Each structure stands twice: as C-alpha cells, then as structure tokens.
Amino acid sequence: MLLWMVLLLCVSMTEAQELFQDPVLSRLNSSETSDLLLKCTTKVDPNKPASELFYSFYKDNHIIQNRSHNPLFFISEANEENSGLYQCVVDAKDGTIQKKSDYLDIDLCTSVSQPVLTLQHEATNLAEGDKVKFLCETQLGSLPILYSFYMDGEILGEPLAPSGRAASLLISVKAEWSGKNYSCQAENKVSRDISEPKKFPLVVSGTASMKSTTMVIWLPVLLGGMAMAAAVLIFFKPCKKKKHARPETPTPKDLDSLLYASLTKRRDK
C-alpha cells in the first residue's frame, strides 16, 4: 500500500513537471523606445488550461509583480532607474511546482543631449596669461558623463568625469588662441555629442597689454601736466613794452634853415 502511494506521488509530480517548461523572459519592444515591455513565455501541456498558471516578475531579486495570469510586464516612460536584472517565475495554481527563467539584463541608459559651452572671464580685454573658465553642461544623458574641452580640434587638459551634468576647466589664456574655435564634448556609454563651436576672443599680447596699461596710467598725468603748464604761461604772460615814436632825422634843407636862424640870433645880440 505504501509503495502504491509513493508511486502515485511520483506520477503526480511528473505530470506537474510536464505541465509547463522552463519560462523564457524577453523584451518585446525596441531598446530605442522609452517604454519597457517584457514577456514571460513557457510551453504548456495542451491538455491543461493555461489559466492554471501564474506569472510573477522580479527585478534584482525583488518582486515587482506578484502572481498574475498576465505574462506581460510593462513600464511606461522607463528611465535609467529601471535598469537591472529581471526574472520571471511561473507556478501552477496549486503551487505544487514553480519554475524560474534566466536573468535578463535591462540597460535603460539614455543618450547625452548636445552640450552647451560657455566662456567665463573677468578681464574685459583678454591678455596672454589671464585665467578663463570653460563650462560644459548637458541636460539629458545617463551618468557618468565624460567631458572634454577642445581648442581648434586639440584637447585642452585631461577629460573630466564629474558626478553631475556639468564640468568646468580653469586654464590660462595663450596668445595663439586668438580668434580660434573652441568646443566641448560630452560622452557616456550610450552616445557622445559635441557643442556648437564658438570663436575665442582676440588675445592681447603681454607687451601690448603692458604698453596699454602704462599709457592708461600715464595719460592723465601727461594731460594734467600740460594743463598746469598752460596755466603758468597764461599767469606769467610778459607785459608788452610801450613803443615811443622815434624822432625824425633832419634833412639837409632843414639843417640850412637851422644854421641861418642861429646866425641871425647872434647878429641881433
């Protein structure tokens, strides 16, 4: 009798095991879309109704959908937080047998958006040696993001991988940068993109900058000195001497008249 019961139990277990095969978990929609649709598929004994099966879904070994007749799992507008290892479990109605699928690795990392690059500096007219800051920012994209800065196609410094969506580079200006194109690149494990190129401002050489600074410093002094000199000249302007009329030189005719008058006076005496 006992042997008969053991044999019956073995037959029942065999029938339960043959009720369905090991399930397979797959993604139905394209990885390029933001939605996530998974399906748990198993082959069922045609003599057994499929409604006797229940489907459960797990993510990173945590249940996300418990025993349901629906073999589909759907997430609308999935993001990188929904990335992970997914698995489905199929069990019979009475729970006598349970089968698990293999893990399915879902990577929902998003592409980086086109970065925006800005140039920050304090000096009005940039000169060689002045400090400037390049700031590269992205609005979208799965982290981590690697940032690189370029001047006329040549990389500046080392690529940066901050924890956020922006990176900055503080660097000294070089004379050869004047009028050249500068840009930045953002890259993650999905994609890469580069900012719109911009023209670097004109750079004043060190000698020209020094001359300009010296001129700015001394120009007020020179103008002030010229004004003071003009005032002194006006104040101490020399007086003009009054010109006296010069007596006319007597002509020979006049000399004869004078001599005759002199002789007449003596004769009268």
Side-chain angles (χ1 to χ4, degrees):
M1 182 68 179
L2 181 61
L3 181 61
W4 174 253
M5 291 180 62
V6 172
L7 182 61
L8 183 62
L9 179 61
C10 290
V11 171
S12 299
M13 291 181 64
T14 303
E15 289 181 352
Q17 289 177 354
E18 294 299 326
L19 180 65
F20 57 91
Q21 297 180 3
D22 291 341
V24 175
L25 182 62
S26 59
R27 181 174 182 175
L28 295 184
N29 59 341
S30 171
S31 59
E32 296 180 358
T33 64
S34 58
D35 297 336
L36 177 63
L37 179 60
L38 303 180
K39 183 177 182 180
C40 189
T41 305
T42 184
K43 290 184 178 181
V44 183
D45 186 344
N47 297 322
K48 302 290 182 178
S51 59
E52 293 182 359
L53 300 182
F54 290 86
Y55 300 88
S56 301
F57 290 85
Y58 291 78
K59 174 182 174 289
D60 296 330
N61 295 322
H62 297 284
I63 192 164
I64 52 178
Q65 180 176 301
N66 200 11
R67 301 184 81 232
S68 168
H69 292 302
N70 186 6
L72 300 177
F73 176 76
F74 177 73
I75 298 179
S76 176
E77 299 295 330
N79 54 44
E80 57 190 299
E81 294 181 356
N82 300 117
S83 298
L85 293 176
Y86 286 79
Q87 186 181 42
C88 70
V89 175
V90 181
D91 64 291
K93 182 177 181 180
D94 55 5
T96 54
I97 189 170
Q98 187 179 78
K99 293 186 177 182
K100 299 179 179 181
S101 71
D102 292 333
Y103 286 104
L104 177 63
D105 188 4
I106 299 295
D107 189 355
L108 296 173
C109 291
T110 56
S111 303
V112 294
S113 59
Q114 185 179 33
V116 177
L117 179 59
T118 54
L119 178 65
Q120 300 175 353
H121 54 87
E122 296 180 356
T124 304
N125 297 316
L126 287 177
E128 187 176 9
D130 286 346
K131 294 291 185 180
V132 294
K133 179 187 288 187
F134 293 99
L135 179 63
C136 190
E137 299 175 282
T138 55
Q139 297 298 320
L140 301 174
S142 300
L143 302 176
I145 299 176
L146 187 68
Y147 295 90
S148 303
F149 298 87
Y150 295 88
M151 180 64 68
D152 217 27
E154 295 184 3
I155 192 167
L156 299 175
E158 297 293 331
L160 304 174
S163 57
R165 300 188 181 280
S168 62
L169 176 67
L170 184 65
I171 193 169
S172 298
V173 174
K174 294 183 179 180
E176 57 265 28
W177 293 356
S178 185
K180 290 187 176 180
N181 290 330
Y182 63 96
S183 58
C184 74
Q185 177 182 275
E187 178 183 4
N188 63 7
K189 61 182 181 180
V190 180
S191 67
R192 69 177 66 179
D193 206 342
I194 193 166
S195 66
E196 290 290 339
K198 296 181 179 180
K199 287 286 185 182
F200 197 82
L202 294 178
V203 179
V204 181
S205 64
T207 306
S209 178
M210 187 178 298
K211 287 181 179 179
S212 177
T213 305
T214 306
M215 191 65 181
V216 170
I217 294 174
W218 284 102
L219 185 58
V221 177
L222 293 173
L223 292 176
M226 292 172 65
M228 289 181 64
V232 169
L233 289 174
I234 293 172
F235 186 78
F236 292 102
K237 183 177 180 181
C239 297
K240 292 184 178 180
K241 292 183 180 182
K242 191 174 182 180
K243 294 183 179 180
H244 296 280
R246 188 174 180 182
E248 297 182 1
T249 305
T251 61
K253 186 177 180 181
D254 294 332
L255 290 176
D256 291 342
S257 299
L258 291 173
L259 180 60
Y260 176 76
S262 176
L263 290 175
T264 305
K265 284 183 180 181
R266 288 182 182 180
R267 189 180 301 166
D268 292 338
K269 290 180 180 180

PDB file of all heavy atoms in Angstrom, residues 62 85 87 124 149 170-171 267:
ATOM      1  N   HIS A  62      13.914  41.351  -6.313  1.00  0.00           N
ATOM      2  CA  HIS A  62      12.795  41.943  -5.570  1.00  0.00           C
ATOM      3  C   HIS A  62      11.548  41.852  -6.435  1.00  0.00           C
ATOM      4  O   HIS A  62      11.575  42.226  -7.610  1.00  0.00           O
ATOM      5  CB  HIS A  62      13.075  43.396  -5.204  1.00  0.00           C
ATOM      6  CG  HIS A  62      14.242  43.567  -4.277  1.00  0.00           C
ATOM      7  ND1 HIS A  62      14.187  43.283  -2.928  1.00  0.00           N
ATOM      8  CD2 HIS A  62      15.513  43.992  -4.517  1.00  0.00           C
ATOM      9  CE1 HIS A  62      15.359  43.525  -2.368  1.00  0.00           C
ATOM     10  NE2 HIS A  62      16.194  43.965  -3.318  1.00  0.00           N
ATOM     11  N   LEU A  85      18.551  43.562 -13.386  1.00  0.00           N
ATOM     12  CA  LEU A  85      18.386  42.157 -13.760  1.00  0.00           C
ATOM     13  C   LEU A  85      16.940  41.732 -13.493  1.00  0.00           C
ATOM     14  O   LEU A  85      16.466  41.780 -12.356  1.00  0.00           O
ATOM     15  CB  LEU A  85      19.349  41.276 -12.967  1.00  0.00           C
ATOM     16  CG  LEU A  85      20.842  41.472 -13.268  1.00  0.00           C
ATOM     17  CD1 LEU A  85      21.691  40.613 -12.343  1.00  0.00           C
ATOM     18  CD2 LEU A  85      21.150  41.148 -14.727  1.00  0.00           C
ATOM     19  N   GLN A  87      13.693  38.897 -13.946  1.00  0.00           N
ATOM     20  CA  GLN A  87      13.438  37.453 -13.961  1.00  0.00           C
ATOM     21  C   GLN A  87      11.940  37.222 -13.781  1.00  0.00           C
ATOM     22  O   GLN A  87      11.254  38.003 -13.112  1.00  0.00           O
ATOM     23  CB  GLN A  87      14.210  36.768 -12.826  1.00  0.00           C
ATOM     24  CG  GLN A  87      14.137  35.255 -12.836  1.00  0.00           C
ATOM     25  CD  GLN A  87      14.896  34.637 -11.666  1.00  0.00           C
ATOM     26  OE1 GLN A  87      14.819  35.138 -10.531  1.00  0.00           O
ATOM     27  NE2 GLN A  87      15.628  33.567 -11.923  1.00  0.00           N
ATOM     28  N   THR A 124      38.184  92.465 -19.235  1.00  0.00           N
ATOM     29  CA  THR A 124      37.449  92.993 -20.382  1.00  0.00           C
ATOM     30  C   THR A 124      38.161  92.640 -21.677  1.00  0.00           C
ATOM     31  O   THR A 124      37.555  92.158 -22.629  1.00  0.00           O
ATOM     32  CB  THR A 124      37.294  94.519 -20.268  1.00  0.00           C
ATOM     33  OG1 THR A 124      36.670  94.834 -19.019  1.00  0.00           O
ATOM     34  CG2 THR A 124      36.468  95.070 -21.412  1.00  0.00           C
ATOM     35  N   PHE A 149      37.390  69.192 -23.445  1.00  0.00           N
ATOM     36  CA  PHE A 149      37.400  70.552 -23.994  1.00  0.00           C
ATOM     37  C   PHE A 149      38.428  70.634 -25.116  1.00  0.00           C
ATOM     38  O   PHE A 149      39.518  70.053 -25.013  1.00  0.00           O
ATOM     39  CB  PHE A 149      37.725  71.569 -22.899  1.00  0.00           C
ATOM     40  CG  PHE A 149      36.698  71.605 -21.787  1.00  0.00           C
ATOM     41  CD1 PHE A 149      36.797  70.744 -20.701  1.00  0.00           C
ATOM     42  CD2 PHE A 149      35.639  72.490 -21.845  1.00  0.00           C
ATOM     43  CE1 PHE A 149      35.848  70.768 -19.683  1.00  0.00           C
ATOM     44  CE2 PHE A 149      34.689  72.523 -20.836  1.00  0.00           C
ATOM     45  CZ  PHE A 149      34.795  71.658 -19.754  1.00  0.00           C
ATOM     46  N   LEU A 170      39.450  75.378 -15.654  1.00  0.00           N
ATOM     47  CA  LEU A 170      40.107  76.666 -15.413  1.00  0.00           C
ATOM     48  C   LEU A 170      41.506  76.596 -15.998  1.00  0.00           C
ATOM     49  O   LEU A 170      42.294  75.716 -15.649  1.00  0.00           O
ATOM     50  CB  LEU A 170      40.171  76.957 -13.905  1.00  0.00           C
ATOM     51  CG  LEU A 170      40.746  78.314 -13.502  1.00  0.00           C
ATOM     52  CD1 LEU A 170      39.851  79.440 -13.994  1.00  0.00           C
ATOM     53  CD2 LEU A 170      40.915  78.397 -11.980  1.00  0.00           C
ATOM     54  N   ILE A 171      41.821  77.539 -16.898  1.00  0.00           N
ATOM     55  CA  ILE A 171      43.077  77.458 -17.636  1.00  0.00           C
ATOM     56  C   ILE A 171      43.563  78.856 -17.997  1.00  0.00           C
ATOM     57  O   ILE A 171      42.776  79.806 -18.041  1.00  0.00           O
ATOM     58  CB  ILE A 171      42.876  76.603 -18.916  1.00  0.00           C
ATOM     59  CG1 ILE A 171      44.195  76.209 -19.547  1.00  0.00           C
ATOM     60  CG2 ILE A 171      41.961  77.299 -19.900  1.00  0.00           C
ATOM     61  CD1 ILE A 171      44.057  75.157 -20.634  1.00  0.00           C
ATOM     62  N   ARG A 267      73.735 187.875 -34.462  1.00  0.00           N
ATOM     63  CA  ARG A 267      73.895 189.200 -35.031  1.00  0.00           C
ATOM     64  C   ARG A 267      73.021 190.204 -34.258  1.00  0.00           C
ATOM     65  O   ARG A 267      73.401 191.343 -34.009  1.00  0.00           O
ATOM     66  CB  ARG A 267      73.507 189.162 -36.519  1.00  0.00           C
ATOM     67  CG  ARG A 267      73.849 190.479 -37.246  1.00  0.00           C
ATOM     68  CD  ARG A 267      73.462 190.383 -38.684  1.00  0.00           C
ATOM     69  NE  ARG A 267      74.179 189.274 -39.278  1.00  0.00           N
ATOM     70  CZ  ARG A 267      73.850 188.775 -40.469  1.00  0.00           C
ATOM     71  NH1 ARG A 267      72.854 189.248 -41.131  1.00  0.00           N
ATOM     72  NH2 ARG A 267      74.556 187.799 -40.962  1.00  0.00           N
TER      73      ARG A 267
END
